[in-house]
Amino acid sequence: MHIHNGKLYWPQTTEPFEPQPVHEQLEWYDVVVIGGGMSGSLTAYQLAKQGKTVAVVDKRQFGTGSTSANTGLLQYSNDIMLHELIDQIGERPAVRFYELCLEAMDQLDQVAGHLSGRADFIRRPSICYASSVEDVPKLQKEFETLSKYGFPCEYWDQQQFENNLPFSKPAALITHQDTEINPLKFVQGVLRLAENHGVHLYPFTDVENVLDTSQGIEIRTSTHLFRAKQVVYTTGYETVPVGERIGADINRSYAIVTKPVEKISEWHERALIWETKRPYLYMRLTEENTVVIGGLDEDKPEAPFSNELLEERGQKLLDALHEHFPDQTFEIDACYAASFGESIDNLPFIGEHPTKPNHYYLLGYGGNGTVYSMLGSVILGDLMNGNVNSDAEIVQLNRKCGVR
């Protein structure tokens, strides 16, 4: 699958990751992780800390798939608001899922503390503004719901909004304890931590078949034969080697990154910004003082090859950025399109396959993929050790929108 096309930004900020050579492949691994992006790196690190022998295989160079196209906005809020999720799955599981996302922010913070420069992991507030007056009641209801259950947030009316930003919107919901991150630096750093815990990394290793045998699981690849007690699929938006996703859509989105700007004094606390309209625009600043803005989602699975289309979408995003910050001059440095996945029920796919023992999945579909990767690695760490995890039921594969 063609995951992205165009000029990416994050590879400009770091050197390519070169894993340590594996001098002696193990005859048996406790776990083989298929996919070495955000979900795969965090899962491998989590399992290695628990004493398991782990190998990670990726058909590309590590971090060059969806990780390099990730725009690095991390939030405990989701594309589906809490009050909407309560209506969908019930109060207890919906609130607990939001709690898991907030806990994952702190867990990611702890991991970042072990990385060089913290991988530009910086806590920021998020501003979700009402795209129209009609969306104000929805934001008010979400503020009341989040406040009721103790989530850190506040509400702005139009006057408060205008006091903090150079454009006007009728209202906004501000959530606290969110984060910006350089996703490529983060994944590279986590993979180095995993290597230090004995994880074997195999780039440019394409999985061709996965077979159950009387002794365990065989993973046949383009370069090696692996044997393992358990396997984890962290393949992101690409087709999984075993099983079928039910209730998932693969779409594509566009993003630009500007050249560095000297100063943006009216950007409230360098917050992450997004909106209620669907599909939504979203934007953030980076450590290099560039602006990342994305959106214009399309119901097509693969990134387009047309440079003309990329330029046209990039100009639309640049125009939108100028509308939000009219006194600022921006120039495009990077422009790209990328595939992303969404589940119909707005929850990730995490857990053991319902009919294939020892086959596990962590597919963080949705606008909160990095957060799902973190909370999923914790859930799998329990399940794969035979421990009870009371949260696993919320994201289990054996649901209407799951994996078969």
Side-chain angles (χ1 to χ4, degrees), residues 195-358:
E195 282 187 319
N196 292 338
H197 282 78
V199 173
H200 290 174
L201 302 180
Y202 292 87
F204 305 110
T205 302
D206 196 2
V207 174
E208 297 173 343
N209 207 351
V210 181
L211 301 172
D212 288 297
T213 72
S214 59
Q215 293 180 302
I217 301 171
E218 282 191 0
I219 299 97
R220 298 178 181 177
T221 77
S222 56
T223 59
H224 298 75
L225 172 65
F226 296 90
R227 294 182 175 89
K229 299 174 185 175
Q230 298 171 313
V231 61
V232 185
Y233 304 101
T234 59
T235 50
Y237 310 136
E238 301 195 73
T239 302
V240 289
V242 172
E244 180 182 0
R245 299 169 305 217
I246 304 296
D249 286 331
I250 307 297
N251 302 311
R252 70 188 186 195
S253 186
Y254 297 85
I256 62 170
V257 185
T258 70
K259 294 180 180 179
V261 293
E262 283 190 18
K263 185 179 181 183
I264 299 185
S265 57
E266 295 178 298
W267 193 310
H268 176 75
E269 295 185 13
R270 300 174 69 94
L272 317 178
I273 300 174
W274 58 313
E275 64 175 330
T276 54
K277 184 176 67 176
R278 295 295 185 269
Y280 55 82
L281 284 172
Y282 52 92
M283 61 192 82
R284 56 159 291 197
L285 289 161
T286 72
E287 272 290 86
E288 297 78 25
N289 227 35
T290 66
V291 180
V292 181
I293 178 170
L296 307 179
D297 301 355
E298 296 173 343
D299 188 18
K300 297 180 181 179
E302 291 197 309
F305 286 95
S306 169
N307 289 328
E308 182 179 348
L309 180 61
L310 280 176
E311 290 175 4
E312 186 267 332
R313 297 294 192 272
Q315 186 60 49
K316 280 189 175 182
L317 289 170
L318 185 64
D319 292 343
L321 182 58
H322 281 131
E323 288 175 9
H324 286 77
F325 295 90
D327 296 331
Q328 191 79 41
T329 299
F330 301 100
E331 295 181 73
I332 296 176
D333 177 46
C335 176
Y336 61 92
S339 302
F340 72 97
E342 297 179 301
S343 63
I344 302 303
D345 64 2
N346 295 284
L347 296 172
F349 306 112
I350 302 168
E352 187 175 20
H353 192 280
T355 62
K356 290 184 173 292
N358 298 313

Side-chain angles (χ1 to χ4, degrees), residues 76 102 105 123-126 151-154 174-179 268-269:
Y76 74 78
L102 185 57
M105 301 295 288
R123 302 307 279 261
R124 303 285 189 203
S126 287
F151 291 98
C153 64
E154 60 182 299
I174 292 77
T175 53
H176 298 286
Q177 301 182 28
D178 291 337
T179 297
H268 176 75
E269 295 185 13

